Amino acid sequence: MELSRRDAIGALAAIGVGTGAAAYAVDTGGDAATAPVETLVAVAEVVYPSELSGVEPFVETFAERRAAGDDDHARGVRAAVETMDDRAEAWYDAAFADLAAEDRDSLLREMGVDTAAEVPDGSTAERVRYYVVNDLLMALYASPTGGELVGLENPRGHPGGTDSYRRGPRQ
Amino acid sequence: MSGTPSAADGRDRTPVPDADVCVVGAGPAGALVANRLAADHEVVVLDAGPRFDPEDRLNRQERAIRPAYDRPDVWEMGGPRDAHAASGEWFYPLNHARVKGVGGSTLHWQGMVMRLHEADFSSGTERGVGPDWPLDYADLRPYYAEAERAFGVSGADDNPFGPPREAPFPNPAFPPSHSDSLFAEACEELDIATHSVPNARNSEPYDGRGECVGYGTCQPVCPSGAKYDATVHVESAESAGATVIDRARVTELAHGPDRIEAAVYVAPDGTEHRQTADAFVLAAGGVEIPRLLLLSASKLYPDGLANSSGAVGRYFTDHLFAGVGGVLEERTRQNHVGFVTTESHQFYDEADETVAPFKLEFLNYAGPSPVELAMTGDDWGDDLLGRLRESYGGHVAVGALVEQLPREDSYVGLDDERTDDLGNPVPDVHWTVGDRALRTIERSNEIQRDILAELGAEVTWTAGPDSTGPAYHHMGTTRMGEEPTESVVDPTLCTHDLENCWIASSSVFPTGGAVNPTLTIAALALRAADAVDEALSRSL
């Protein structure tokens, strides 16, 4: 199943990005930080299911709005990614995005991200879970394509209208 | 209008000179009262909470979805301002149950809006328990119709057990869901009639607000504004000339023997103000209204203001939830929307001394929401998707709302051992539930299990007498009645003790029935506004 730009825009709309919401507004000034797109794509390739395609443009669109601004959340994403890269360099001698997929998976688990609850001001593992892994999971599973993977095309958080709840399951 | 700014945010929170009406609380009751009176009177509304920015609603939705946040975090409840106690044998999670701020608890409500049944107004006479209301359905009927128009209720006149109606609902009902159709077949086999649900959310554009777009997070936040909330009528009241002062925490009602003189409130910078007015309307809900009256005790009223009956804070009731959930082998398409589209009131009016009224609700959001489930657990990738597919699919659930009878030992009092950040005793919700309600939960569970059995579902959970919880409807704590010795307000919602103090709230309900209370709150608020208007016209 292929992720689309519509999915990314939908995911952004569900969390208030691109709709004028102040907390996650994109900083259009000249000092806007660069989103760590490459690393986020590398994480998504681990935490997203293998049957998905179109992950890279989806994450790019999402990350450029979600992780590039001058707001607390974007700063939190960048700080968490920086920590992941530091660990990757220390333990695997390479940046996170340059690791093989198995090593990326291992690193996240060695950091304890798999068993951590998301906490925005918590431990390293809790912050990576909140700002990186769960941000990406929320983006996917609040999107129409992510929802359809599971069996509902209008997941919670997505303004998918009031028709789908009336339809029966597809045969 | 009021004078110079008094707080760091630059907003003017000084009192309004020469106010005719002071409303305490900017929830649905306060908003409707203010809106009805603002054109002809100088109205000021004081609310303890903030004026929330509508632009932040999607961020609040994210809080509603993400596991890092608890329900009170969505609307910034909790902390020293909202400290409370729960000394009863049943714990009461008060800050899950309310929102302080402009819009009040309609900001997080579900938005189900039914009229009480006719027999609810005469429980003592019809069912042999509890007090009768001092007014009947006919008295409220025109106000109900007006409240439905105010909320833009989407509904259909297809409930064979409901009270008589005089006009169609403002908007058509939301059609039944896929799972409703499964329940309808099972219920037909069991001779249980099902029908639509009146919802305070737009099925079509109405009153300048768009139709529902299916975010699915109705409770606790509707980002689109299709679900009615009281900011609609706060804004309307302001357009008509009312002044709304947010973050104005009323701590005392200064009074003489027969009248309130001023609402004493504290602004965010700590400055204390006195808002005088000719008439006062208390609309701060079933917990903070009795708390404020008790905090206003004086030599004239040593047991609390307007409390010569001793009933202030007494008879606290809520609705109890009963439910049975299960799993079918077929997909039931849950969690597309966050509201209910089918109910049954078939058993409601079988109530008597031993069994309370109750209604059945067929849920459209049984089972976990995949996006929320995705953010928990220690798996990801294909394993996570497998888990989500396994957990989503065939869930079904039938809920019920059950009436609780008023009891003297169920009350809202003051906890003298604990104070809020202003030094005032916090509210103590001492919640006690009687056997009739518990028996009725069992009765509801029996029917719910029958329905699930007819469906062929495997039952996976039951919310029964031992695991029930409150529906967050705070009722009964300033009950209405004819007798000043037994009640706090008269049928016009004016307090027996004070000639210029009205109460617009579910706190005046003598009994609660088994329908969601907000439509009745709204109808009573409109009735109270008419009473205030009449009193002011008599040069109160």
Side-chain angles (χ1 to χ4, degrees):
Chain A
M1 195 170 283
E2 180 162 9
L3 283 163
S4 65
R5 177 171 166 73
R6 173 174 164 257
D7 286 305
I9 298 299
L12 290 163
I15 55 177
V17 180
T19 62
Y24 298 135
V26 177
D27 182 355
T28 55
D31 298 330
T34 304
V37 173
E38 199 180 357
T39 307
L40 293 172
V41 170
V43 176
E45 287 169 351
V46 172
V47 302
Y48 284 3
S50 56
E51 65 189 77
L52 268 182
S53 59
V55 170
E56 189 169 336
F58 173 81
V59 175
E60 278 175 2
T61 305
F62 179 78
E64 281 166 8
R65 300 289 187 93
R66 183 72 160 171
D70 188 28
D71 57 84
D72 288 346
H73 190 88
R75 280 194 292 272
V77 175
R78 295 197 295 270
V81 165
E82 199 175 315
T83 304
M84 289 166 52
D85 271 333
D86 289 346
R87 294 290 173 90
E89 291 284 359
W91 295 350
Y92 290 84
D93 297 321
F96 185 90
D98 295 334
L99 298 178
E102 314 86 85
D103 290 342
R104 282 178 255 152
D105 185 282
S106 294
L107 176 64
L108 289 170
R109 293 182 191 279
E110 287 156 11
M111 290 179 70
V113 177
D114 56 336
T115 55
E118 62 160 34
V119 183
D121 57 353
S123 67
T124 297
E126 290 167 339
R127 284 184 289 112
V128 171
R129 180 82 189 208
Y130 181 86
Y131 287 109
V132 180
V133 172
N134 276 4
D135 239 31
L136 288 165
L137 291 176
M138 185 174 64
L140 173 62
Y141 288 109
S143 75
T145 297
E148 279 194 52
L149 278 175
V150 182
L152 79 165
E153 57 276 31
N154 183 27
R156 207 159 186 239
H158 178 69
T162 54
D163 289 332
S164 69
Y165 81 92
R166 297 150 59 183
R167 291 197 289 264
R170 291 174 192 160
Q171 299 304 311
Chain B
M1 297 297 292
S2 49
T4 54
S6 68
D9 63 7
R11 288 189 181 156
D12 180 6
R13 293 188 173 85
T14 54
V16 173
D18 302 321
D20 299 315
V21 183
C22 173
V23 180
V24 180
L32 287 168
V33 168
N35 183 59
R36 198 170 181 88
L37 296 173
D40 298 322
H41 305 285
E42 186 72 61
V43 176
V44 58
V45 183
L46 307 174
D47 198 281
R51 188 188 292 266
F52 296 106
D53 185 348
E55 294 288 325
D56 284 343
R57 286 199 177 187
L58 282 164
N59 299 322
R60 298 188 191 285
Q61 177 180 258
E62 182 178 343
R63 290 189 202 174
I65 292 172
R66 296 195 74 143
Y69 303 98
D70 205 356
R71 184 53 58 92
D73 298 327
V74 175
W75 292 100
E76 299 161 34
M77 287 299 297
R81 182 195 67 181
D82 305 322
H84 65 92
S87 65
E89 58 182 292
W90 293 61
F91 176 73
Y92 200 90
L94 184 58
N95 286 333
H96 284 69
R98 58 182 182 166
V99 174
K100 290 184 182 176
V102 174
S105 294
T106 53
L107 294 171
H108 81 157
W109 72 327
Q110 174 74 9
M112 299 171 81
V113 277
M114 303 85 185
R115 303 180 183 195
L116 285 168
H117 288 210
E118 289 174 287
D120 288 325
F121 293 89
S122 50
S123 182
T125 302
E126 298 281 341
R127 298 168 182 155
V129 285
D132 287 353
W133 287 46
L135 45 78
D136 58 26
Y137 178 71
D139 295 318
L140 271 195
R141 189 169 168 174
Y143 292 107
Y144 270 134
E146 194 173 345
E148 287 168 350
R149 290 193 295 274
F151 288 174
V153 177
S154 300
D157 190 5
D158 64 351
N159 179 354
F161 314 104
R165 299 181 52 79
E166 61 298 308
F169 288 94
N171 287 311
F174 285 93
S177 65
H178 171 66
S179 56
D180 288 340
S181 68
L182 303 177
F183 280 120
E185 286 179 30
C187 287
E188 194 172 341
E189 289 296 317
L190 297 170
D191 290 326
I192 297 172
T194 58
H195 46 82
S196 65
V197 178
N199 273 290
R201 57 179 50 74
N202 292 350
S203 60
E204 295 179 350
Y206 183 82
D207 196 22
R209 295 179 291 118
E211 66 190 72
C212 174
V213 295
Y215 273 110
T217 56
C218 312
Q219 195 183 120
V221 56
C222 172
S224 77
K227 181 185 78 173
Y228 173 85
D229 66 60
T231 63
V232 170
H233 285 99
V234 168
E235 288 169 15
S236 177
E238 287 180 299
S239 296
T243 300
V244 178
I245 304 177
D246 73 336
R247 301 175 70 194
R249 296 170 60 184
V250 179
T251 56
E252 182 187 358
L253 298 169
H255 57 272
D258 304 316
R259 298 172 63 85
I260 294 178
E261 293 162 356
V264 180
Y265 65 93
V266 179
D269 63 0
T271 308
E272 188 174 279
H273 299 281
R274 287 169 62 89
Q275 176 63 60
T276 58
D278 295 327
F280 290 81
V281 180
L282 308 184
V287 173
E288 293 296 338
I289 289 172
R291 180 192 184 205
L292 179 58
L293 292 171
L294 295 173
L295 287 173
S296 303
S298 65
K299 286 182 180 173
L300 290 167
Y301 291 96
D303 297 324
L305 187 59
N307 194 24
S308 58
S309 65
V312 168
R314 295 277 164 201
Y315 310 114
F316 173 78
T317 65
D318 202 322
H319 292 120
L320 294 147
F321 179 76
V324 175
V327 180
L328 290 176
E329 289 187 2
E330 61 182 294
R331 293 161 73 185
T332 53
R333 307 274 295 161
Q334 298 296 283
N335 280 301
H336 289 245
V337 292
F339 54 91
V340 177
T341 42
T342 292
E343 284 192 335
S344 178
H345 290 204
Q346 179 156 325
F347 305 97
Y348 197 107
D349 290 312
E350 293 178 5
D352 58 21
E353 286 177 57
T354 58
V355 177
F358 66 96
K359 66 168 172 128
L360 299 174
E361 303 170 346
F362 301 90
L363 305 190
N364 289 328
Y365 38 81
S369 153
V371 62
E372 293 174 31
L373 203 58
M375 289 187 278
T376 61
D378 57 5
D379 49 4
W380 48 52
D382 291 342
D383 290 343
L384 170 59
L385 179 58
R387 177 166 62 90
L388 297 180
R389 283 175 171 162
E390 194 175 328
S391 62
Y392 181 71
H395 291 277
V396 286
V398 188
L401 215 56
V402 172
E403 182 190 55
Q404 176 197 355
L405 279 177
R407 302 160 54 103
E408 277 206 39
D409 62 355
S410 188
Y411 61 84
V412 173
L414 299 178
D415 183 348
D416 292 324
E417 303 296 313
R418 190 174 177 194
T419 56
D420 64 13
D421 55 335
L422 296 179
N424 290 314
V426 303
D428 173 22
V429 181
H430 187 104
W431 187 38
T432 305
V433 177
D435 290 341
R436 179 176 181 256
L438 299 178
R439 268 195 305 274
T440 308
I441 293 171
E442 287 178 354
R443 169 73 178 134
S444 303
N445 289 160
E446 286 170 10
I447 297 167
Q448 291 161 333
R449 277 193 293 268
D450 287 346
I451 295 170
L452 262 59
E454 184 64 35
L455 265 179
E458 176 194 351
V459 171
T460 54
W461 61 268
T462 298
D466 298 329
S467 53
T468 182
Y472 304 158
H473 305 150
H474 305 151
M475 301 174 286
T477 48
T478 60
R479 67 182 355 184
M480 170 174 37
E482 298 280 6
E483 294 299 326
T485 56
E486 297 174 357
S487 56
V488 179
V489 299
D490 67 22
T492 72
L493 291 313
C494 188
T495 55
H496 291 297
D497 291 347
L498 301 154
E499 64 188 20
N500 70 339
C501 177
W502 285 260
I503 296 179
S505 167
S506 47
S507 65
V508 306
F509 291 11
T511 55
V515 299
N516 310 61
T518 304
L519 192 73
T520 304
I521 293 172
L524 288 170
L526 294 167
R527 181 178 160 93
D530 281 353
V532 172
D533 185 50
E534 186 185 338
L536 289 171
S537 70
R538 296 195 314 261
S539 299
L540 184 78

